Amino acid sequence: MQTKIAIPEAFQISNQIHQKTYLINGELRTWNGKSSEVISTISSTDEYAHTILGSIPDMGEEEALEVLDTALAAYDKGQGVWPTMKVKDRIECMESFVKKMEEKREEVVKLLMWEIGKSLPDSYKEFDRTVEYIYDTIEDYKQLDRNSAKFEKHDGVYAHIRRGPLGVVLCLGPYNYPLNETFALLIPALIMGNTAVFKPAKHGVLLITPLLEAFQSSFPKGVVNILFGRGRAVAAPIMKTGKVDVLALIGNSKSANALQDQHPKSNRLRLVLGLEAKNPAIVLPDADLDLTVNECIAGTLSFNGQRCTALKVLYVHEDVKEEFLKRFSEKVDALKFGNPWDEGVKLTPLPEPGKPAYIQELLDDAKAKGAKILNKKGGKHSDNYIWPAVLYPVSKDMRVYEEEQFGPIIPVVSFKDIEEPLDDMAESNYGQQVSLFGKDVYTLSPLIDTLANLVCRVNLNSSCQRGPDVYPFTGRKDSAQSTLSVHDALRSFSIRTFVAFKDNELNNETIEQLLEAKVSNFLSTDYIL
Ligand code: G3H
Protein backbone atom coordinates (compact mmCIF):
# COMPACT_ATOMS: atom_id res chain seq x y z
CA MET A 1 0.00 0.00 0.00
CA GLN A 2 1.49 3.31 -1.08
CA THR A 3 1.44 6.20 1.39
CA LYS A 4 0.81 9.67 0.09
CA ILE A 5 3.57 12.17 0.82
CA ALA A 6 2.70 15.39 2.63
CA ILE A 7 1.95 18.10 0.10
CA PRO A 8 0.50 21.46 1.16
CA GLU A 9 -3.20 21.40 0.34
CA ALA A 10 -2.97 24.30 -2.07
CA PHE A 11 -0.49 22.41 -4.23
CA GLN A 12 -2.11 18.99 -4.28
CA ILE A 13 -3.25 17.59 -7.59
CA SER A 14 -6.79 16.59 -6.76
CA ASN A 15 -8.05 16.40 -10.31
CA GLN A 16 -6.12 15.52 -13.39
CA ILE A 17 -6.39 18.01 -16.25
CA HIS A 18 -7.48 16.41 -19.49
CA GLN A 19 -7.19 19.24 -21.95
CA LYS A 20 -9.73 18.66 -24.67
CA THR A 21 -9.73 21.95 -26.53
CA TYR A 22 -7.36 23.99 -28.60
CA LEU A 23 -7.65 27.56 -29.78
CA ILE A 24 -8.39 28.07 -33.44
CA ASN A 25 -10.06 30.98 -35.19
CA GLY A 26 -11.28 32.47 -31.92
CA GLU A 27 -12.95 29.22 -30.93
CA LEU A 28 -12.03 26.72 -28.23
CA ARG A 29 -12.53 23.71 -30.42
CA THR A 30 -13.02 20.28 -28.93
CA TRP A 31 -10.40 17.72 -29.80
CA ASN A 32 -11.65 14.19 -30.30
CA GLY A 33 -8.44 12.61 -31.53
CA LYS A 34 -5.55 10.93 -29.73
CA SER A 35 -4.12 12.51 -26.64
CA SER A 36 -0.81 12.20 -24.88
CA GLU A 37 -0.29 11.84 -21.18
CA VAL A 38 1.35 14.61 -19.18
CA ILE A 39 3.38 13.36 -16.25
CA SER A 40 5.39 14.93 -13.49
CA THR A 41 8.63 13.37 -12.28
CA ILE A 42 7.57 14.40 -8.78
CA SER A 43 6.19 11.51 -6.78
CA SER A 44 2.96 11.84 -4.81
CA THR A 45 3.66 8.70 -2.78
CA ASP A 46 6.40 7.47 -0.45
CA GLU A 47 7.44 4.78 -2.85
CA TYR A 48 8.59 6.58 -5.97
CA ALA A 49 6.23 6.77 -8.93
CA HIS A 50 5.73 9.62 -11.36
CA THR A 51 2.49 11.53 -11.01
CA ILE A 52 0.01 11.67 -13.86
CA LEU A 53 -1.12 15.26 -14.28
CA GLY A 54 -3.48 14.82 -17.21
CA SER A 55 -3.31 14.81 -20.97
CA ILE A 56 -3.14 17.08 -24.00
CA PRO A 57 -4.26 16.71 -27.60
CA ASP A 58 -1.74 14.93 -29.79
CA MET A 59 -2.40 16.86 -32.97
CA GLY A 60 -1.01 16.23 -36.43
CA GLU A 61 -0.36 17.78 -39.80
CA GLU A 62 -3.97 18.24 -40.87
CA GLU A 63 -4.94 20.23 -37.79
CA ALA A 64 -1.67 22.16 -37.84
CA LEU A 65 -2.37 23.34 -41.37
CA GLU A 66 -5.89 24.32 -40.46
CA VAL A 67 -4.56 26.36 -37.55
CA LEU A 68 -2.05 28.03 -39.87
CA ASP A 69 -4.86 28.89 -42.28
CA THR A 70 -6.75 30.74 -39.58
CA ALA A 71 -3.67 32.79 -38.70
CA LEU A 72 -3.22 33.59 -42.38
CA ALA A 73 -6.87 34.53 -42.73
CA ALA A 74 -6.67 36.82 -39.68
CA TYR A 75 -3.63 38.53 -41.20
CA ASP A 76 -5.44 38.57 -44.53
CA LYS A 77 -2.47 39.80 -46.56
CA GLY A 78 -2.13 42.77 -44.24
CA GLN A 79 -5.79 43.75 -44.57
CA GLY A 80 -7.01 41.91 -41.49
CA VAL A 81 -8.70 43.62 -38.56
CA TRP A 82 -5.65 43.06 -36.35
CA PRO A 83 -2.77 44.24 -38.54
CA THR A 84 -4.72 47.37 -39.56
CA MET A 85 -6.15 48.12 -36.13
CA LYS A 86 -5.30 51.36 -34.31
CA VAL A 87 -2.36 50.87 -31.96
CA LYS A 88 -4.53 52.11 -29.12
CA ASP A 89 -7.07 49.36 -29.77
CA ARG A 90 -4.46 46.63 -30.00
CA ILE A 91 -3.12 47.84 -26.66
CA GLU A 92 -6.61 47.57 -25.19
CA CYS A 93 -6.83 43.93 -26.23
CA MET A 94 -3.47 43.26 -24.62
CA GLU A 95 -4.52 45.02 -21.42
CA SER A 96 -7.66 42.95 -21.27
CA PHE A 97 -5.58 39.79 -21.74
CA VAL A 98 -3.05 40.58 -19.04
CA LYS A 99 -5.77 41.37 -16.51
CA LYS A 100 -7.41 38.01 -17.14
CA MET A 101 -4.03 36.32 -17.01
CA GLU A 102 -3.31 37.77 -13.57
CA GLU A 103 -6.36 35.98 -12.20
CA LYS A 104 -4.76 32.65 -13.10
CA ARG A 105 -1.58 33.19 -11.09
CA GLU A 106 -2.11 30.44 -8.51
CA GLU A 107 -3.20 27.85 -11.06
CA VAL A 108 -0.25 28.52 -13.35
CA VAL A 109 2.27 28.57 -10.51
CA LYS A 110 1.03 25.24 -9.19
CA LEU A 111 1.43 23.69 -12.64
CA LEU A 112 4.87 25.24 -13.10
CA MET A 113 5.97 23.38 -9.97
CA TRP A 114 4.48 20.05 -10.97
CA GLU A 115 5.33 20.10 -14.64
CA ILE A 116 8.89 21.39 -14.59
CA GLY A 117 9.86 21.16 -10.92
CA LYS A 118 10.51 24.87 -10.51
CA SER A 119 10.61 25.99 -6.86
CA LEU A 120 7.66 27.93 -5.48
CA PRO A 121 9.47 31.31 -5.23
CA ASP A 122 10.93 30.88 -8.72
CA SER A 123 7.55 29.87 -10.14
CA TYR A 124 5.95 33.00 -8.70
CA LYS A 125 8.89 34.97 -10.08
CA GLU A 126 8.37 33.51 -13.54
CA PHE A 127 4.69 34.40 -13.50
CA ASP A 128 5.13 37.90 -12.08
CA ARG A 129 8.04 38.67 -14.35
CA THR A 130 5.90 37.73 -17.34
CA VAL A 131 3.04 39.97 -16.27
CA GLU A 132 5.48 42.81 -15.74
CA TYR A 133 6.95 42.10 -19.16
CA ILE A 134 3.54 42.55 -20.74
CA TYR A 135 2.90 45.86 -18.97
CA ASP A 136 6.39 47.09 -19.88
CA THR A 137 5.80 46.06 -23.49
CA ILE A 138 2.58 48.07 -23.59
CA GLU A 139 4.36 51.15 -22.23
CA ASP A 140 7.23 50.76 -24.65
CA TYR A 141 4.89 50.37 -27.58
CA LYS A 142 3.07 53.55 -26.59
CA GLN A 143 6.39 55.38 -26.61
CA LEU A 144 7.33 53.85 -29.95
CA ASP A 145 4.00 55.01 -31.31
CA ARG A 146 4.41 58.51 -29.88
CA ASN A 147 7.84 58.75 -31.47
CA SER A 148 6.31 58.00 -34.85
CA ALA A 149 3.39 60.40 -34.60
CA LYS A 150 5.14 62.97 -36.78
CA PHE A 151 6.46 63.81 -40.23
CA GLU A 152 10.06 64.14 -41.28
CA LYS A 153 11.25 66.12 -44.27
CA HIS A 154 14.43 65.64 -46.26
CA ASP A 155 15.25 66.88 -49.76
CA GLY A 156 11.68 68.03 -50.34
CA VAL A 157 10.17 64.65 -49.38
CA TYR A 158 8.01 64.19 -46.32
CA ALA A 159 7.85 60.84 -44.53
CA HIS A 160 5.59 59.40 -41.90
CA ILE A 161 7.54 56.39 -40.63
CA ARG A 162 6.13 53.67 -38.40
CA ARG A 163 6.81 50.03 -37.63
CA GLY A 164 4.45 47.53 -39.22
CA PRO A 165 3.84 43.80 -38.66
CA LEU A 166 5.59 41.08 -40.63
CA GLY A 167 2.78 38.54 -41.03
CA VAL A 168 2.35 35.13 -39.43
CA VAL A 169 4.63 34.13 -36.57
CA LEU A 170 5.26 30.54 -35.52
CA CYS A 171 6.11 30.69 -31.85
CA LEU A 172 7.85 27.90 -29.94
CA GLY A 173 9.19 28.20 -26.42
CA PRO A 174 11.43 26.16 -24.11
CA TYR A 175 10.50 23.94 -21.17
CA ASN A 176 12.65 25.74 -18.60
CA TYR A 177 10.68 28.98 -18.89
CA PRO A 178 7.51 27.68 -20.53
CA LEU A 179 5.59 30.80 -19.64
CA ASN A 180 8.09 33.63 -19.52
CA GLU A 181 10.26 32.92 -22.52
CA THR A 182 7.35 31.90 -24.71
CA PHE A 183 5.39 35.00 -23.84
CA ALA A 184 8.47 37.16 -24.31
CA LEU A 185 8.13 36.11 -27.96
CA LEU A 186 4.39 35.88 -28.34
CA ILE A 187 3.39 39.16 -26.69
CA PRO A 188 5.60 41.52 -28.73
CA ALA A 189 4.77 39.54 -31.87
CA LEU A 190 1.05 40.06 -31.27
CA ILE A 191 1.11 43.64 -30.15
CA MET A 192 2.99 44.68 -33.31
CA GLY A 193 0.05 43.41 -35.38
CA ASN A 194 1.27 39.97 -36.42
CA THR A 195 -0.93 36.91 -36.07
CA ALA A 196 0.46 33.81 -34.40
CA VAL A 197 0.47 30.07 -34.16
CA PHE A 198 1.80 29.02 -30.79
CA LYS A 199 2.77 25.53 -29.68
CA PRO A 200 3.67 25.16 -26.00
CA ALA A 201 6.92 23.48 -24.94
CA LYS A 202 7.18 19.71 -24.39
CA HIS A 203 7.14 20.13 -20.61
CA GLY A 204 5.19 23.00 -19.12
CA VAL A 205 2.24 22.60 -21.44
CA LEU A 206 -0.71 22.17 -19.09
CA LEU A 207 0.13 25.46 -17.44
CA ILE A 208 -0.84 27.23 -20.65
CA THR A 209 -4.34 25.74 -20.57
CA PRO A 210 -5.78 28.06 -17.86
CA LEU A 211 -4.90 30.94 -20.18
CA LEU A 212 -6.67 29.71 -23.32
CA GLU A 213 -9.89 31.46 -22.46
CA ALA A 214 -8.11 34.73 -21.76
CA PHE A 215 -6.51 34.54 -25.21
CA GLN A 216 -9.80 33.61 -26.81
CA SER A 217 -11.78 36.44 -25.29
CA SER A 218 -9.18 39.19 -25.57
CA PHE A 219 -8.13 39.08 -29.23
CA PRO A 220 -10.05 39.08 -32.50
CA LYS A 221 -10.56 35.65 -34.00
CA GLY A 222 -7.57 33.95 -35.57
CA VAL A 223 -5.02 36.41 -34.13
CA VAL A 224 -3.66 33.90 -31.69
CA ASN A 225 -4.00 30.17 -32.27
CA ILE A 226 -2.75 27.56 -29.83
CA LEU A 227 -2.18 23.96 -30.75
CA PHE A 228 -0.68 20.94 -29.03
CA GLY A 229 1.44 18.08 -30.24
CA ARG A 230 4.99 17.13 -31.06
CA GLY A 231 7.12 19.72 -32.85
CA ARG A 232 7.95 17.29 -35.63
CA ALA A 233 4.27 16.54 -36.23
CA VAL A 234 2.90 20.06 -36.17
CA ALA A 235 5.66 22.65 -36.60
CA ALA A 236 7.44 21.00 -39.53
CA PRO A 237 4.37 20.86 -41.82
CA ILE A 238 3.59 24.48 -40.99
CA MET A 239 7.08 25.57 -42.01
CA LYS A 240 6.95 23.51 -45.20
CA THR A 241 4.09 25.63 -46.54
CA GLY A 242 6.43 28.62 -46.80
CA LYS A 243 3.65 30.77 -45.37
CA VAL A 244 5.31 31.58 -42.07
CA ASP A 245 6.99 34.99 -41.99
CA VAL A 246 8.74 34.73 -38.63
CA LEU A 247 10.11 31.73 -36.78
CA ALA A 248 10.30 32.70 -33.11
CA LEU A 249 11.95 29.97 -31.14
CA ILE A 250 13.74 29.64 -27.86
CA GLY A 251 15.39 26.24 -27.80
CA ASN A 252 18.36 24.72 -29.53
CA SER A 253 20.04 25.38 -32.84
CA LYS A 254 19.38 21.84 -34.04
CA SER A 255 15.60 22.33 -33.98
CA ALA A 256 15.92 25.89 -35.26
CA ASN A 257 17.99 24.74 -38.24
CA ALA A 258 15.72 21.80 -38.95
CA LEU A 259 12.62 24.02 -39.01
CA GLN A 260 14.29 26.77 -40.97
CA ASP A 261 15.38 24.23 -43.57
CA GLN A 262 11.77 23.20 -44.13
CA HIS A 263 10.84 26.68 -45.34
CA PRO A 264 11.01 26.69 -49.15
CA LYS A 265 12.06 30.36 -49.30
CA SER A 266 14.29 30.98 -46.35
CA ASN A 267 15.06 34.51 -47.55
CA ARG A 268 11.49 35.43 -46.61
CA LEU A 269 11.80 34.06 -43.14
CA ARG A 270 12.76 36.29 -40.24
CA LEU A 271 14.38 34.47 -37.36
CA VAL A 272 14.03 35.43 -33.74
CA LEU A 273 15.99 32.77 -31.92
CA GLY A 274 17.34 32.28 -28.40
CA LEU A 275 19.49 29.18 -28.51
CA GLU A 276 21.97 27.16 -26.49
CA ALA A 277 24.98 28.56 -24.69
CA LYS A 278 27.92 27.46 -22.61
CA ASN A 279 28.55 30.57 -20.57
CA PRO A 280 31.89 30.46 -18.78
CA ALA A 281 32.92 32.02 -15.50
CA ILE A 282 36.49 33.29 -15.38
CA VAL A 283 37.89 33.53 -11.86
CA LEU A 284 41.01 35.71 -11.65
CA PRO A 285 43.58 35.42 -8.84
CA ASP A 286 42.37 38.56 -7.04
CA ALA A 287 38.67 37.65 -7.12
CA ASP A 288 36.69 38.07 -3.92
CA LEU A 289 36.22 34.38 -3.25
CA ASP A 290 33.15 34.58 -1.00
CA LEU A 291 31.25 36.60 -3.56
CA THR A 292 32.58 34.50 -6.44
CA VAL A 293 31.55 31.21 -4.86
CA ASN A 294 28.06 32.53 -4.15
CA GLU A 295 27.61 33.90 -7.67
CA CYS A 296 28.94 30.68 -9.19
CA ILE A 297 26.50 28.62 -7.10
CA ALA A 298 23.60 30.74 -8.34
CA GLY A 299 25.00 30.79 -11.86
CA THR A 300 25.57 27.06 -12.17
CA LEU A 301 22.71 25.67 -10.14
CA SER A 302 19.67 27.97 -10.14
CA PHE A 303 16.88 25.75 -11.42
CA ASN A 304 19.41 22.89 -11.46
CA GLY A 305 21.43 24.53 -14.22
CA GLN A 306 18.49 24.28 -16.63
CA ARG A 307 18.87 27.82 -17.94
CA CYS A 308 20.35 28.91 -21.21
CA THR A 309 22.16 31.61 -19.25
CA ALA A 310 23.55 29.18 -16.65
CA LEU A 311 27.29 29.08 -16.03
CA LYS A 312 28.22 25.84 -17.74
CA VAL A 313 31.99 25.83 -17.32
CA LEU A 314 34.16 27.45 -14.65
CA TYR A 315 37.69 28.64 -15.49
CA VAL A 316 39.58 29.15 -12.25
CA HIS A 317 43.10 30.57 -12.01
CA GLU A 318 45.70 28.12 -10.69
CA ASP A 319 46.53 30.41 -7.74
CA VAL A 320 43.04 30.27 -6.26
CA LYS A 321 41.88 26.94 -7.65
CA GLU A 322 42.32 24.92 -4.48
CA GLU A 323 40.56 27.33 -2.16
CA PHE A 324 37.79 28.03 -4.66
CA LEU A 325 37.09 24.35 -5.29
CA LYS A 326 37.03 23.55 -1.58
CA ARG A 327 34.55 26.31 -0.73
CA PHE A 328 32.48 25.76 -3.86
CA SER A 329 32.15 21.99 -3.34
CA GLU A 330 31.07 22.46 0.27
CA LYS A 331 28.40 24.92 -0.79
CA VAL A 332 27.10 22.59 -3.48
CA ASP A 333 26.66 19.81 -0.94
CA ALA A 334 24.95 22.15 1.52
CA LEU A 335 22.15 23.01 -0.94
CA LYS A 336 18.75 21.65 -0.08
CA PHE A 337 17.08 19.19 -2.41
CA GLY A 338 13.33 18.68 -2.24
CA ASN A 339 10.00 19.21 -3.90
CA PRO A 340 9.33 22.68 -5.31
CA TRP A 341 7.07 23.76 -2.44
CA ASP A 342 9.52 22.72 0.30
CA GLU A 343 10.80 25.65 2.34
CA GLY A 344 14.29 26.83 1.34
CA VAL A 345 14.64 24.26 -1.43
CA LYS A 346 17.31 25.00 -4.05
CA LEU A 347 17.58 21.76 -6.01
CA THR A 348 14.43 20.14 -7.34
CA PRO A 349 13.38 17.10 -9.41
CA LEU A 350 14.44 17.16 -13.05
CA PRO A 351 11.40 17.29 -15.34
CA GLU A 352 12.96 15.20 -18.11
CA PRO A 353 12.80 11.55 -17.04
CA GLY A 354 15.97 10.72 -19.00
CA LYS A 355 18.05 13.60 -17.64
CA PRO A 356 19.74 11.86 -14.67
CA ALA A 357 20.94 9.12 -17.02
CA TYR A 358 22.31 11.69 -19.47
CA ILE A 359 24.16 13.53 -16.71
CA GLN A 360 25.53 10.17 -15.55
CA GLU A 361 26.86 9.56 -19.08
CA LEU A 362 28.69 12.90 -18.96
CA LEU A 363 30.11 11.98 -15.57
CA ASP A 364 31.29 8.54 -16.69
CA ASP A 365 32.89 9.96 -19.80
CA ALA A 366 34.71 12.68 -17.83
CA LYS A 367 35.87 10.23 -15.17
CA ALA A 368 37.17 7.83 -17.77
CA LYS A 369 39.22 10.70 -19.21
CA GLY A 370 40.75 11.73 -15.89
CA ALA A 371 38.30 14.05 -14.09
CA LYS A 372 37.37 13.54 -10.45
CA ILE A 373 34.21 14.37 -8.56
CA LEU A 374 35.27 16.77 -5.82
CA ASN A 375 32.14 17.01 -3.69
CA LYS A 376 30.98 14.17 -1.46
CA LYS A 377 27.41 14.03 -2.75
CA GLY A 378 28.35 14.58 -6.41
CA GLY A 379 26.65 12.09 -8.75
CA LYS A 380 24.43 10.53 -6.07
CA HIS A 381 21.17 9.37 -7.63
CA SER A 382 17.67 9.57 -6.30
CA ASP A 383 14.58 8.61 -8.29
CA ASN A 384 14.26 11.87 -10.18
CA TYR A 385 17.57 13.54 -9.52
CA ILE A 386 21.32 13.30 -9.72
CA TRP A 387 23.29 15.42 -7.28
CA PRO A 388 25.41 18.12 -8.96
CA ALA A 389 28.97 16.91 -9.35
CA VAL A 390 31.87 19.36 -9.26
CA LEU A 391 34.20 17.86 -11.87
CA TYR A 392 37.91 18.66 -12.02
CA PRO A 393 40.15 18.73 -14.03
CA VAL A 394 38.05 18.94 -17.14
CA SER A 395 39.73 18.73 -20.53
CA LYS A 396 38.59 19.49 -24.05
CA ASP A 397 38.15 15.87 -25.05
CA MET A 398 35.37 15.38 -22.51
CA ARG A 399 31.74 15.53 -23.56
CA VAL A 400 30.89 17.78 -20.63
CA TYR A 401 33.31 20.36 -22.01
CA GLU A 402 31.66 20.35 -25.42
CA GLU A 403 27.97 19.70 -24.79
CA GLU A 404 25.49 22.08 -23.22
CA GLN A 405 24.68 19.99 -20.16
CA PHE A 406 21.55 21.96 -19.19
CA GLY A 407 21.47 20.21 -15.85
CA PRO A 408 23.27 19.64 -12.56
CA ILE A 409 26.94 19.03 -13.37
CA ILE A 410 29.74 21.57 -13.06
CA PRO A 411 32.91 21.24 -15.14
CA VAL A 412 35.92 23.14 -13.84
CA VAL A 413 39.04 23.98 -15.86
CA SER A 414 42.09 25.68 -14.32
CA PHE A 415 44.30 28.15 -16.18
CA LYS A 416 47.61 29.93 -15.77
CA ASP A 417 47.42 32.31 -18.69
CA ILE A 418 44.26 34.31 -19.41
CA GLU A 419 44.74 33.57 -23.11
CA GLU A 420 43.62 29.99 -22.39
CA PRO A 421 39.97 30.77 -21.57
CA LEU A 422 39.92 33.52 -24.18
CA ASP A 423 41.11 31.12 -26.89
CA ASP A 424 38.55 28.54 -25.79
CA MET A 425 35.76 31.10 -25.97
CA ALA A 426 36.87 32.21 -29.41
CA GLU A 427 36.85 28.59 -30.59
CA SER A 428 33.54 27.74 -28.93
CA ASN A 429 30.30 27.42 -30.88
CA TYR A 430 28.57 29.69 -28.40
CA GLY A 431 28.69 33.36 -27.61
CA GLN A 432 26.01 34.45 -25.19
CA GLN A 433 27.54 35.76 -21.92
CA VAL A 434 30.48 35.47 -19.55
CA SER A 435 31.01 36.11 -15.85
CA LEU A 436 34.31 37.74 -14.97
CA PHE A 437 35.49 37.71 -11.36
CA GLY A 438 38.34 39.97 -10.28
CA LYS A 439 39.21 43.43 -8.93
CA ASP A 440 42.28 44.92 -10.57
CA VAL A 441 41.10 47.46 -13.12
CA TYR A 442 44.26 47.18 -15.22
CA THR A 443 43.67 43.45 -15.61
CA LEU A 444 39.94 43.77 -16.06
CA SER A 445 39.96 46.57 -18.66
CA PRO A 446 41.61 44.77 -21.60
CA LEU A 447 39.65 41.65 -20.73
CA ILE A 448 36.33 43.45 -20.83
CA ASP A 449 37.29 44.93 -24.19
CA THR A 450 38.00 41.49 -25.64
CA LEU A 451 35.14 39.63 -23.98
CA ALA A 452 32.57 42.13 -25.19
CA ASN A 453 33.55 41.07 -28.72
CA LEU A 454 33.27 37.36 -27.96
CA VAL A 455 29.89 37.39 -26.22
CA CYS A 456 27.02 39.83 -25.81
CA ARG A 457 27.05 40.46 -22.07
CA VAL A 458 30.02 40.62 -19.73
CA ASN A 459 28.88 40.18 -16.14
CA LEU A 460 31.35 41.69 -13.75
CA ASN A 461 31.56 39.82 -10.43
CA SER A 462 28.01 38.64 -11.12
CA SER A 463 26.48 35.44 -12.45
CA CYS A 464 25.06 35.42 -15.96
CA GLN A 465 21.35 36.09 -16.41
CA ARG A 466 18.83 37.35 -18.88
CA GLY A 467 17.13 39.93 -16.72
CA PRO A 468 16.21 42.65 -16.08
CA ASP A 469 14.15 42.16 -19.22
CA VAL A 470 14.68 45.71 -20.40
CA TYR A 471 18.31 44.79 -21.19
CA PRO A 472 19.26 43.24 -24.52
CA PHE A 473 19.25 39.46 -24.57
CA THR A 474 21.11 38.02 -27.51
CA GLY A 475 24.18 36.03 -28.47
CA ARG A 476 26.75 35.32 -31.13
CA LYS A 477 27.39 32.17 -33.19
CA ASP A 478 25.04 29.31 -32.25
CA SER A 479 23.56 31.18 -29.28
CA ALA A 480 20.98 33.49 -30.84
CA GLN A 481 19.66 35.42 -33.76
CA SER A 482 17.97 38.82 -33.29
CA THR A 483 17.83 40.67 -30.02
CA LEU A 484 15.19 40.42 -27.36
CA SER A 485 14.43 42.94 -24.64
CA VAL A 486 11.18 44.72 -23.94
CA HIS A 487 12.16 47.33 -26.51
CA ASP A 488 14.20 45.26 -28.98
CA ALA A 489 11.53 42.57 -29.28
CA LEU A 490 9.09 45.14 -30.66
CA ARG A 491 11.65 45.88 -33.34
CA SER A 492 12.44 42.21 -33.99
CA PHE A 493 8.78 41.48 -34.71
CA SER A 494 8.17 44.43 -37.00
CA ILE A 495 9.53 46.27 -39.99
CA ARG A 496 9.85 49.94 -40.81
CA THR A 497 7.26 51.01 -43.30
CA PHE A 498 6.20 54.53 -44.25
CA VAL A 499 4.17 56.93 -46.29
CA ALA A 500 6.21 59.43 -48.32
CA PHE A 501 5.14 62.39 -50.40
CA LYS A 502 6.73 65.24 -52.25
CA ASP A 503 6.22 68.66 -50.76
CA ASN A 504 3.63 70.31 -53.00
CA GLU A 505 0.24 71.91 -52.57
CA LEU A 506 -1.81 68.91 -53.62
CA ASN A 507 -0.01 66.51 -51.29
CA ASN A 508 0.05 68.85 -48.33
CA GLU A 509 -3.67 69.47 -48.64
CA THR A 510 -4.42 65.77 -49.03
CA ILE A 511 -2.37 64.90 -45.98
CA GLU A 512 -4.06 67.58 -43.93
CA GLN A 513 -7.44 66.20 -44.92
CA LEU A 514 -6.31 62.66 -44.18
CA LEU A 515 -5.21 63.68 -40.71
CA GLU A 516 -8.39 65.62 -40.04
CA ALA A 517 -10.65 62.82 -41.23
CA LYS A 518 -8.90 60.45 -38.78
CA VAL A 519 -9.85 57.45 -40.90
CA SER A 520 -6.39 56.04 -41.49
CA ASN A 521 -5.05 54.01 -38.60
CA PHE A 522 -1.53 54.19 -40.00
CA LEU A 523 -1.33 57.82 -40.96
CA SER A 524 -2.01 59.60 -37.73
CA THR A 525 -0.33 62.12 -35.46
CA ASP A 526 -2.51 61.30 -32.47
CA TYR A 527 -0.65 60.74 -29.24
CA ILE A 528 -1.47 57.76 -27.05
CA LEU A 529 -1.15 58.91 -23.46
O1 G3H B 1 17.01 29.84 -20.29
C1 G3H B 1 17.39 30.99 -20.46
C2 G3H B 1 16.71 32.14 -19.84
O2 G3H B 1 16.59 33.21 -20.70
C3 G3H B 1 17.43 32.57 -18.65
O3 G3H B 1 16.80 33.61 -18.04
O4 G3H B 1 18.80 34.33 -16.78
O5 G3H B 1 16.57 35.16 -16.18
O6 G3H B 1 17.18 32.79 -15.75
P1 G3H B 1 17.36 34.00 -16.60
Side-chain angles (χ1 to χ4, degrees), residues 101 108-109 111-118 122-123 126-127 130 171-186 198-209 211 215 250 303 306 351 406:
M101 172 176 169
V108 173
V109 162
L111 285 167
L112 264 170
M113 290 192 287
W114 277 99
E115 285 193 270
I116 62 162
K118 193 167 275 192
D122 283 352
S123 296
E126 175 160 358
F127 188 92
T130 309
C171 184
L172 305 164
Y175 82 78
N176 64 335
Y177 281 89
L179 183 76
N180 182 263
E181 299 239 271
T182 319
F183 280 34
L185 299 172
L186 187 62
F198 157 39
K199 188 197 87 64
K202 67 176 169 178
H203 305 290
V205 47
L206 283 178
L207 61 91
I208 298 295
T209 64
L211 303 174
F215 276 116
I250 306 234
F303 194 37
Q306 301 165 119
F406 216 76

Side-chain angles (χ1 to χ4, degrees), residues 129 176-177 181 306-309 406 464-467 473:
R129 175 181 176 182
N176 64 335
Y177 281 89
E181 299 239 271
Q306 301 165 119
R307 294 160 59 231
C308 60
T309 49
F406 216 76
C464 296
Q465 62 181 44
R466 172 177 177 156
F473 177 53

Side-chain angles (χ1 to χ4, degrees), residues 94 104 129 173 212 234 283 384 454:
M94 197 55 86
K104 304 288 180 185
R129 175 181 176 182
L212 287 190
V234 293
V283 182
N384 49 16
L454 289 172

Side-chain angles (χ1 to χ4, degrees), residues 210-269:
L211 303 174
L212 287 190
E213 226 176 277
F215 276 116
Q216 186 227 358
S217 55
S218 307
F219 298 99
K221 65 174 190 175
V223 168
V224 50
N225 303 280
I226 303 178
L227 81 174
F228 302 93
R230 292 201 333 245
R232 229 170 307 139
V234 293
I238 289 179
M239 289 302 290
K240 262 189 207 152
T241 62
K243 291 177 180 165
V244 167
D245 301 288
V246 187
L247 173 63
L249 176 147
I250 306 234
N252 62 61
S253 57
K254 223 168 114 194
S255 353
N257 284 331
L259 283 171
Q260 205 177 318
D261 288 347
Q262 307 272 358
H263 199 291
K265 271 197 166 255
S266 58
N267 58 301
R268 291 192 189 178
L269 184 68

Side-chain angles (χ1 to χ4, degrees), residues 70-91 93 141 145 162-169 188-196 219-225 245 493-495 497 519-523:
T70 69
L72 284 162
Y75 194 71
D76 193 15
K77 309 180 204 81
Q79 300 177 74
V81 173
W82 187 247
T84 57
M85 192 181 264
K86 274 200 171 76
V87 169
K88 183 171 106 357
D89 296 336
R90 275 210 296 266
I91 286 176
C93 295
Y141 191 26
D145 191 73
R162 291 193 170 272
R163 298 200 73 91
L166 294 157
V168 173
V169 179
L190 291 174
I191 210 166
M192 291 312 290
N194 302 286
T195 62
F219 298 99
K221 65 174 190 175
V223 168
V224 50
N225 303 280
D245 301 288
F493 286 104
S494 62
I495 191 161
T497 175
V519 274
S520 166
N521 292 342
F522 184 92
L523 199 109

